[in-house]
Amino acid sequence: GINAEYGGGFAGGLGSIPWLMVNELFITEYRGLANSICCSINCIATIILLLTYGAIKDSLTSLTFFFYMGVVLFFLLFIVLFVPETRQRTVQDIKEGLETQAKRFPPLVW
């Protein structure tokens, strides 16, 4: 059913990114807290998706796939633009890169 399809697609896509990136972006002292926050946000996003899927499917009928494809493409663009490359880099290098990037882009959340 839809849950199996969603689970497979999510695990191979956006669902696994926070789990992979936390260990590379945070120093050891903050990894536990960062993992907790990422897990919570991940679970909340999953619950929101599962609770709203029926209404979106009823509203958009055959276009539901394109709605979710648009969401995935938006986040793919976000990842390409804002998530740093971490291969062969130290935590200090990543931190400096994020600080430089933060100076170029205005804060979107705060």
Side-chain angles (χ1 to χ4, degrees), residues 14 20 27 33 42-43 46 64-65 68 70 73-74 83-84 92 107:
L14 294 174
L20 298 172
I27 59 175
L33 176 63
N42 203 345
C43 289
T46 301
T64 305
F65 169 78
Y68 286 113
L73 290 176
F74 170 78
V83 176
Q92 185 63 30

Side-chain angles (χ1 to χ4, degrees), residues 78-85 89 93-108:
F78 177 84
I79 290 166
V80 169
L81 293 176
F82 296 106
V83 176
E85 175 61 55
R89 294 180 67 194
D93 289 340
I94 296 168
K95 180 181 174 188
E96 290 171 3
L98 288 172
E99 288 171 351
T100 302
Q101 183 177 2
K103 291 176 185 172
R104 287 188 305 202
F105 296 101
L108 300 175

